[in-house]
Amino acid sequence: ILKKAKDRGDYLIVGVHGDSLVNRVRGSNLPLMNVHERTLSLMGCRYVDDVLIDAPYRVTPEMVASLNIVEVVHGTIGDSDEENDGHHLEERYAYPMEAGVFTILDSPSGFNISTIMRRIQENQERFKAKIQKKKKAEADYYNDRYGMNGKNGFKGSDGKR
């Protein structure tokens, strides 16, 4: 979507909300990356010319004027259901909509925070299973190799190793 946005003009500014704002609006343990990590990720993107750190929740007339913004864009895929019903967008982008500088761009994929969190949870389950399998293999190895049953490290009841 950043490429599409960049293609619409000659200078792309991307707003990054602060951590406290994201946590207050989205809740849970969000954001996954802090504001500095998100900013660095965006600055590393070849389509992004500048990053507005700690961007306000609502795009205001003062913000548009001070940054000389000629178009405000948003993707069709959001991170929450509220964004998809339009109410959320109307609240955040009321001024750009009134001024006729708001555009919704088709998102090239359905990738969002829910996708990332689902992948993390799936990988966590796989990782737990992998650790359990390794623990069992290690216990079996020591039992076969040294006859240890896991208690006190001794082979049998005579107390010898």
Short mmCIF file of all heavy atoms in Angstrom, two decimals, residues 129-153:
data_model
loop_
_atom_site.label_atom_id
_atom_site.label_comp_id
_atom_site.label_asym_id
_atom_site.label_seq_id
_atom_site.Cartn_x
_atom_site.Cartn_y
_atom_site.Cartn_z
N ALA A 129 5.70 -27.80 21.36
CA ALA A 129 5.72 -29.21 21.00
C ALA A 129 7.15 -29.66 20.70
O ALA A 129 7.55 -30.77 21.09
CB ALA A 129 4.82 -29.46 19.79
N LYS A 130 7.91 -28.82 20.02
CA LYS A 130 9.30 -29.15 19.70
C LYS A 130 10.14 -29.30 20.97
O LYS A 130 10.92 -30.24 21.10
CB LYS A 130 9.88 -28.04 18.81
CG LYS A 130 11.29 -28.26 18.37
CD LYS A 130 11.73 -27.10 17.49
CE LYS A 130 13.18 -27.23 17.06
NZ LYS A 130 13.59 -26.11 16.20
N ILE A 131 9.96 -28.40 21.94
CA ILE A 131 10.69 -28.47 23.21
C ILE A 131 10.32 -29.73 23.97
O ILE A 131 11.18 -30.42 24.52
CB ILE A 131 10.43 -27.21 24.07
CG1 ILE A 131 10.99 -25.97 23.39
CG2 ILE A 131 10.97 -27.37 25.48
CD1 ILE A 131 12.49 -25.98 23.19
N GLN A 132 9.02 -30.07 24.01
CA GLN A 132 8.59 -31.28 24.70
C GLN A 132 9.19 -32.52 24.07
O GLN A 132 9.63 -33.45 24.76
CB GLN A 132 7.05 -31.37 24.71
CG GLN A 132 6.38 -30.36 25.60
CD GLN A 132 6.82 -30.47 27.05
OE1 GLN A 132 7.04 -31.55 27.59
NE2 GLN A 132 6.99 -29.32 27.68
N LYS A 133 9.24 -32.55 22.74
CA LYS A 133 9.82 -33.68 22.03
C LYS A 133 11.32 -33.80 22.34
O LYS A 133 11.83 -34.90 22.57
CB LYS A 133 9.61 -33.48 20.52
CG LYS A 133 10.10 -34.63 19.67
CD LYS A 133 9.80 -34.38 18.20
CE LYS A 133 10.38 -35.47 17.34
NZ LYS A 133 10.16 -35.22 15.91
N LYS A 134 12.02 -32.67 22.39
CA LYS A 134 13.45 -32.69 22.72
C LYS A 134 13.69 -33.13 24.15
O LYS A 134 14.62 -33.88 24.43
CB LYS A 134 14.07 -31.31 22.48
CG LYS A 134 14.30 -31.00 21.03
CD LYS A 134 15.06 -29.70 20.87
CE LYS A 134 15.38 -29.49 19.41
NZ LYS A 134 16.39 -28.49 19.20
N LYS A 135 12.85 -32.68 25.08
CA LYS A 135 12.99 -33.09 26.48
C LYS A 135 12.80 -34.60 26.62
O LYS A 135 13.53 -35.26 27.35
CB LYS A 135 11.96 -32.36 27.36
CG LYS A 135 12.34 -30.95 27.70
CD LYS A 135 11.29 -30.35 28.63
CE LYS A 135 11.67 -28.96 29.07
NZ LYS A 135 10.66 -28.39 29.98
N LYS A 136 11.80 -35.13 25.91
CA LYS A 136 11.54 -36.57 25.98
C LYS A 136 12.71 -37.34 25.37
O LYS A 136 13.17 -38.34 25.94
CB LYS A 136 10.25 -36.92 25.24
CG LYS A 136 9.89 -38.40 25.34
CD LYS A 136 8.65 -38.72 24.57
CE LYS A 136 8.26 -40.16 24.61
NZ LYS A 136 9.32 -41.14 24.62
N ALA A 137 13.23 -36.87 24.23
CA ALA A 137 14.36 -37.54 23.59
C ALA A 137 15.59 -37.51 24.49
O ALA A 137 16.33 -38.50 24.58
CB ALA A 137 14.66 -36.88 22.24
N GLU A 138 15.81 -36.39 25.16
CA GLU A 138 16.95 -36.28 26.08
C GLU A 138 16.80 -37.23 27.26
O GLU A 138 17.75 -37.92 27.64
CB GLU A 138 17.07 -34.84 26.58
CG GLU A 138 18.27 -34.60 27.47
CD GLU A 138 18.37 -33.15 27.90
OE1 GLU A 138 18.34 -32.27 27.03
OE2 GLU A 138 18.47 -32.93 29.12
N ALA A 139 15.61 -37.28 27.83
CA ALA A 139 15.36 -38.18 28.96
C ALA A 139 15.53 -39.64 28.53
O ALA A 139 16.15 -40.44 29.24
CB ALA A 139 13.97 -37.95 29.52
N ASP A 140 15.02 -40.00 27.35
CA ASP A 140 15.18 -41.36 26.83
C ASP A 140 16.66 -41.69 26.60
O ASP A 140 17.11 -42.80 26.90
CB ASP A 140 14.40 -41.54 25.52
CG ASP A 140 12.90 -41.52 25.73
OD1 ASP A 140 12.45 -41.62 26.89
OD2 ASP A 140 12.18 -41.39 24.71
N TYR A 141 17.41 -40.72 26.07
CA TYR A 141 18.83 -40.93 25.82
C TYR A 141 19.56 -41.23 27.13
O TYR A 141 20.33 -42.20 27.22
CB TYR A 141 19.44 -39.70 25.14
CG TYR A 141 20.95 -39.72 25.10
CD1 TYR A 141 21.61 -40.48 24.14
CD2 TYR A 141 21.70 -39.02 26.04
CE1 TYR A 141 23.00 -40.53 24.11
CE2 TYR A 141 23.09 -39.06 26.01
CZ TYR A 141 23.72 -39.82 25.05
OH TYR A 141 25.09 -39.86 25.02
N TYR A 142 19.35 -40.38 28.14
CA TYR A 142 20.04 -40.60 29.41
C TYR A 142 19.59 -41.89 30.08
O TYR A 142 20.40 -42.59 30.70
CB TYR A 142 19.83 -39.41 30.35
CG TYR A 142 20.74 -38.26 30.03
CD1 TYR A 142 20.24 -37.09 29.47
CD2 TYR A 142 22.11 -38.34 30.25
CE1 TYR A 142 21.07 -36.04 29.15
CE2 TYR A 142 22.95 -37.30 29.93
CZ TYR A 142 22.43 -36.14 29.38
OH TYR A 142 23.27 -35.11 29.07
N ASN A 143 18.36 -42.23 29.94
CA ASN A 143 17.87 -43.47 30.51
C ASN A 143 18.52 -44.68 29.82
O ASN A 143 18.95 -45.62 30.48
CB ASN A 143 16.35 -43.54 30.39
CG ASN A 143 15.78 -44.67 31.21
OD1 ASN A 143 16.36 -45.06 32.23
ND2 ASN A 143 14.66 -45.21 30.77
N ASP A 144 18.60 -44.64 28.47
CA ASP A 144 19.22 -45.73 27.72
C ASP A 144 20.72 -45.79 27.96
O ASP A 144 21.30 -46.86 28.12
CB ASP A 144 18.95 -45.59 26.22
CG ASP A 144 17.50 -45.82 25.86
OD1 ASP A 144 16.75 -46.37 26.71
OD2 ASP A 144 17.10 -45.44 24.75
N ARG A 145 21.36 -44.68 27.97
CA ARG A 145 22.82 -44.60 28.06
C ARG A 145 23.32 -44.93 29.47
O ARG A 145 24.31 -45.63 29.63
CB ARG A 145 23.28 -43.22 27.65
CG ARG A 145 24.73 -42.96 27.87
CD ARG A 145 25.45 -42.78 26.61
NE ARG A 145 26.84 -42.48 26.89
CZ ARG A 145 27.79 -42.65 26.06
NH1 ARG A 145 27.52 -43.11 24.87
NH2 ARG A 145 29.01 -42.37 26.36
N TYR A 146 22.69 -44.35 30.46
CA TYR A 146 23.19 -44.47 31.83
C TYR A 146 22.25 -45.24 32.74
O TYR A 146 22.55 -45.40 33.92
CB TYR A 146 23.43 -43.08 32.42
CG TYR A 146 24.40 -42.26 31.61
CD1 TYR A 146 23.96 -41.17 30.86
CD2 TYR A 146 25.76 -42.56 31.59
CE1 TYR A 146 24.83 -40.42 30.11
CE2 TYR A 146 26.64 -41.81 30.84
CZ TYR A 146 26.18 -40.74 30.11
OH TYR A 146 27.06 -39.99 29.37
N GLY A 147 21.15 -45.66 32.21
CA GLY A 147 20.19 -46.39 33.03
C GLY A 147 19.57 -45.52 34.10
O GLY A 147 19.13 -46.01 35.13
N MET A 148 19.57 -44.22 33.85
CA MET A 148 19.02 -43.30 34.84
C MET A 148 17.52 -43.23 34.66
O MET A 148 17.02 -43.10 33.57
CB MET A 148 19.63 -41.90 34.68
CG MET A 148 21.14 -41.89 34.89
SD MET A 148 21.87 -40.31 34.46
CE MET A 148 21.33 -39.31 35.80
N ASN A 149 16.83 -43.28 35.77
CA ASN A 149 15.38 -43.18 35.70
C ASN A 149 14.90 -41.78 36.06
O ASN A 149 13.72 -41.56 36.27
CB ASN A 149 14.71 -44.24 36.60
CG ASN A 149 15.09 -44.07 38.05
OD1 ASN A 149 15.72 -43.09 38.42
ND2 ASN A 149 14.69 -45.03 38.87
N GLY A 150 15.85 -40.88 36.20
CA GLY A 150 15.49 -39.51 36.49
C GLY A 150 15.43 -39.20 37.97
O GLY A 150 15.26 -38.07 38.36
N LYS A 151 15.59 -40.23 38.82
CA LYS A 151 15.53 -40.00 40.26
C LYS A 151 16.92 -40.22 40.84
O LYS A 151 17.45 -41.33 40.80
CB LYS A 151 14.54 -40.95 40.93
CG LYS A 151 13.11 -40.74 40.46
CD LYS A 151 12.20 -41.74 41.11
CE LYS A 151 10.80 -41.58 40.57
NZ LYS A 151 9.91 -42.62 41.02
N ASN A 152 17.52 -39.19 41.36
CA ASN A 152 18.81 -39.23 42.05
C ASN A 152 19.97 -39.68 41.16
O ASN A 152 21.07 -39.83 41.62
CB ASN A 152 18.77 -40.14 43.28
CG ASN A 152 17.73 -39.69 44.27
OD1 ASN A 152 17.48 -38.50 44.40
ND2 ASN A 152 17.11 -40.64 44.93
N GLY A 153 19.71 -39.99 39.89
CA GLY A 153 20.78 -40.35 38.97
C GLY A 153 21.35 -41.75 39.19
O GLY A 153 22.40 -42.08 38.68
#
